[in-house]
Amino acid sequence: VRCQHYPPLRALQASAVLRRVSDEHKKEPLTSSSQQHFDSHPAGHQPEQEPQGPHPSYTGQGGQESEDYESEEQLQHRILTAALEFVPEHGWTAEAIAEGAKTLGLSVAAAGMFHSDGSELVLHFVSECNTKLSELLEKEQKLVQLGEAEKKPIDEFLRDAVEARLRMLIPYIEKWPQALSVLLLPRNIPSSLNLLTSMIDDICHYAGDQSTDFNWYTRRAVLTGIYNTTELVMMQDSSPDFEDTWRFLENRVADAMNMSNTASQVQSTGEAVVQGLMGAAVTVSNAETSRAVR
Amino acid sequence: LPAGGASLRLCSTRVALEDINKPVIDRIIRVDHAGEYGANRIYAGQMAVLGRSSVGPIIQQMWNQEKDHLKKFNELMVAYRVRPTVLLPFWNVAGFVLGAGSALLGKKGAMACTVAVEESISDHYNNQIRTLMEEDPEKYKELLQVIKQFRDDEREHHDIGLEHDAEAAPAYSILKTAIQLGCKAAIFLSERI
C-alpha cells in the first residue's frame, strides 16, 4: 500500500495542538477518555502512566513515546472514518468531518486540517471501499484454492465483484452524486483516477486475467465502462434493492462477453480468408509456371 | 499535493508483493517484456525475407531463443502484476519492418541489425543488473538470475552476428548507429508508457 508518511515531529505537534485545544474546550470528556485508555492497560503499567495523565505528549524524536502517540496520517484516518456516519445527514462536507472529530473527543477545528470541499473524505471512503473489495476477492480466491468453493465463470465473477463494490455505496447513495462531482474536481482527478484504475485492475487480476498484450488494456477499459455506467444507473434507480441496476449490470457484462467472442470469431474468419487467398494465389502461379514450361 | 500542507495522500489499493520496490521492478519487467517482444518481431521479419537462404537456420535458432525469453517475461509479468507497455502494437509493426528491411539489404544487413540490437539489449540488461544489485541482490535473486542468463544469450547472438560478416554490411556504421538510437528511444518510451 503506497502511503506517504509524515515526519513524526510535525505529527506530534499537530496532535499536541489538537489535544491542547480540545483540553481548553472540553476538559472532562478528554479526561474520561484518557482514563478509559489507561484502564485498558494491564495493572502493572498503571503507576508509570498516571503521572503523565492527560497532558499533551511533547516527546522528542528519539525520546520515549507515550501511549497516545499516533502519526498525523493515522489521526486523519480516524477522523475521516468517524465522519462517514454523518455523511447521510451533512453530505461530503467539512461539517461531516467536524462532527466526526467531535465524536472522537477532538475540537471541531480539526476539520481545518482538511480541504473545505470534503475531497479527502470522499477519497478516503473510496480507498476504504477498494481495500474491502480487495480483501473480499482475496478471501474468495483462497476458498477456491483450498477447494472449498467452485471457481465462478468469468461473467458471474465480474457481476458479483462489481455488485459487491457498488453495494458499499448504498448507505450513502443519496449524497453519492455530490461525491462524484468532488471526485471529478481537477485537483482530485489524479487520485480518483488512480483509485479507479487500481480497483479495476484488482477485479481483473482476481478474475484470472493473465493477458500480457494489448488485451490487458482492452479488458480493463471495458470493465471500467461497465462499472461507471452501472454506477450512474444505480444513482437513478428506485427499484427495491436496486434490482434494475443489477439487471443492467448483467446485460452489460453479457454484452462484453459477446463482444469478445465476436471479436475472436472475426479474427479467425479473417485469418481463414487470408489463407484461402494465399492458397489461391499459389495455385494460380503454379498453373502459370507449368503452362509456361509446356 | 503541497508538500508543506497537512494534506492527506490517498493510498492505492494494490497489495504489495512482499516488500519489493514496485516502481523499479515494474519498469524493469515492462521494458524487458517489450524488448523481447520487439526482438521476436525483428527475427520474424528477417525470417520472412531470408528464411530460405543459407542463414535461415541460424536466424531461426536465435528466434527460438527469443521466443523462450518472451515466454519467461510473460510469466514474470503476471507474477509481479506488471502492466505491459501501451506501445506493444507499435513495436509489433516496427520490429517486423526493421527485421524485414534489414534483411532486404542482404544477409550481412540482417546480421548488422542483429549486432546492433543485441549490443543495445545487453548494455541495457547490464544496467538493470547494476540497478538490482544496488537495490538488494538477495531480494531480487531470481530476477537477477533470469536477466543475467538472458544477457549472456543476447551477447551470444551479438557474437554470432559478427561471425557472419555483419561488419561487411552496406553502410554498417550508419546502420548500426541508427538502429541503436531507435533502440534507446524504444527503451525510454517502454519504461514509461
Side-chain angles (χ1 to χ4, degrees):
Chain A
V1 176
R2 292 192 295 260
C3 298
Q4 213 175 35
H5 291 284
Y6 295 89
L9 190 59
R10 188 148 57 94
L12 285 165
Q13 287 173 348
S15 47
V17 164
L18 285 170
R19 252 167 264 272
R20 211 165 353 127
V21 170
S22 58
D23 258 349
E24 290 162 16
H25 288 285
K26 301 172 184 182
K27 236 190 172 89
E28 269 149 66
L30 185 61
T31 325
S32 59
S33 68
S34 321
Q35 291 289 28
Q36 282 169 12
H37 192 72
F38 292 137
D39 282 341
S40 65
H41 291 307
H45 283 298
Q46 281 281 40
E48 294 161 21
Q49 298 308 324
E50 261 165 38
Q52 287 185 8
H55 295 301
S57 44
Y58 287 107
T59 60
Q61 265 173 311
Q64 267 192 342
E65 294 168 343
S66 81
E67 306 294 318
D68 299 325
Y69 173 76
E70 70 180 335
S71 72
E72 182 177 322
E73 194 176 315
Q74 284 173 317
L75 178 65
Q76 290 182 339
H77 194 273
R78 275 201 308 138
I79 295 178
L80 292 176
T81 308
L84 285 176
E85 78 174 89
F86 299 98
V87 164
E89 190 189 330
H90 294 279
W92 305 90
T93 56
E95 281 89 52
I97 301 179
E99 293 292 323
K102 264 204 290 193
T103 60
L104 293 178
L106 301 167
S107 149
V108 297
M113 270 200 289
F114 306 98
H115 284 109
S116 53
D117 54 14
S119 295
E120 287 96 342
L121 186 54
V122 180
L123 291 170
H124 167 85
F125 174 68
V126 172
S127 177
E128 291 289 296
C129 287
N130 290 355
T131 309
K132 262 192 276 183
L133 181 68
S134 280
E135 287 166 3
L136 180 70
L137 294 176
E138 178 72 38
K139 243 190 301 183
E140 269 182 30
Q141 191 188 53
K142 285 222 165 67
L143 287 178
V144 171
Q145 281 174 347
L146 292 172
E148 289 171 25
E150 283 297 309
K151 191 167 153 70
K152 291 187 208 169
I154 295 193
D155 56 345
E156 192 185 322
F157 182 92
L158 294 178
R159 247 189 295 140
D160 289 347
V162 173
E163 184 180 331
R165 176 61 179 80
L166 286 174
R167 278 189 181 275
M168 299 180 197
L169 303 179
I170 293 182
Y172 309 94
I173 197 74
E174 303 282 309
K175 305 283 183 185
W176 194 246
Q178 184 202 357
L180 282 183
S181 64
V182 167
L183 286 173
L184 288 171
L185 289 173
R187 184 165 33 88
N188 295 328
I189 296 227
S191 304
S192 63
L193 213 52
N194 191 9
L195 287 167
L196 178 65
T197 52
S198 41
M199 186 253 300
I200 295 288
D201 181 53
D202 266 349
I203 299 181
C204 281
H205 168 78
Y206 285 108
D209 176 41
Q210 299 204 326
S211 43
T212 53
D213 53 5
F214 203 75
N215 275 326
W216 191 97
Y217 290 94
T218 323
R219 287 179 187 165
R220 280 155 181 75
V222 166
L223 186 59
T224 310
I226 294 176
Y227 179 85
N228 283 340
T229 48
T230 312
E231 192 181 24
L232 290 175
V233 163
M234 190 176 175
M235 290 198 300
Q236 298 163 345
D237 189 5
S238 49
S239 60
D241 195 38
F242 299 94
E243 52 190 37
D244 285 350
T245 307
W246 312 134
R247 206 170 321 125
F248 176 87
L249 174 62
E250 189 178 339
N251 290 337
R252 294 293 77 72
V253 171
D255 285 347
M257 297 288 120
N258 281 342
M259 200 168 61
S260 81
N261 283 342
T262 314
S264 51
Q265 276 175 1
V266 164
Q267 197 183 4
S268 32
T269 310
E271 279 169 8
V273 166
V274 165
Q275 280 200 340
L277 288 173
M278 296 280 274
V282 167
T283 313
V284 166
S285 84
N286 282 346
E288 291 288 326
T289 323
S290 61
R291 190 144 49 91
V293 165
R294 254 184 282 119
Chain B
L1 291 158
S7 46
L8 189 63
R9 186 68 171 275
L10 272 311
C11 318
S12 86
T13 59
R14 196 178 308 276
V15 175
L17 290 131
E18 298 124 59
D19 49 352
I20 60 170
N21 186 343
K22 198 76 176 36
V24 165
I25 299 297
D26 256 18
R27 270 195 176 185
I28 288 180
I29 294 184
R30 177 161 50 248
V31 73
D32 288 351
H33 175 263
E36 296 300 343
Y37 184 81
N40 249 279
R41 296 303 294 155
I42 291 175
Y43 283 122
Q46 290 188 342
M47 278 303 283
V49 175
L50 291 172
R52 270 169 288 226
S53 71
S54 57
V55 291
I58 301 176
I59 299 180
Q60 180 67 52
Q61 189 193 351
M62 293 196 284
W63 189 14
N64 290 340
Q65 276 187 312
E66 298 296 352
K67 284 184 192 161
D68 284 338
H69 289 187
L70 182 61
K71 204 156 72 112
K72 184 65 185 167
F73 274 117
N74 281 337
E75 289 166 15
L76 286 174
M77 189 163 252
V78 172
Y80 283 94
R81 289 181 65 174
V82 174
R83 164 183 74 83
T85 168
V86 148
L87 299 168
L88 278 180
F90 182 67
W91 300 144
N92 185 355
V93 173
F96 193 87
V97 164
L98 175 62
S102 63
L104 287 171
L105 292 173
K107 299 181 206 153
K108 302 197 180 102
M111 289 301 151
C113 170
T114 302
V115 165
V117 171
E118 301 295 7
E119 192 177 305
S120 286
I121 291 192
S122 23
D123 282 344
H124 163 70
Y125 276 152
N126 278 333
N127 288 339
Q128 290 188 340
I129 293 171
R130 257 188 292 270
T131 309
L132 288 176
M133 296 290 275
E134 277 166 10
E135 282 273 326
D136 189 337
E138 272 313 301
K139 214 192 290 181
Y140 304 118
K141 198 154 61 150
E142 194 213 321
L143 191 56
L144 268 170
Q145 229 170 332
V146 167
I147 297 182
K148 280 183 188 162
Q149 173 65 47
F150 289 6
R151 188 246 351 239
D152 294 341
D153 290 344
E154 308 295 1
R155 210 65 234 176
E156 200 186 306
H157 293 179
H158 170 266
D159 295 340
I160 291 176
L162 285 177
E163 276 167 33
H164 284 81
D165 303 324
E167 282 161 332
Y172 173 70
S173 46
I174 301 176
L175 198 59
K176 184 164 177 245
T177 316
I179 293 176
Q180 291 195 324
L181 212 61
C183 285
K184 279 208 186 77
I187 290 172
F188 180 83
L189 289 173
S190 299
E191 273 180 344
R192 286 157 185 79
I193 315 183

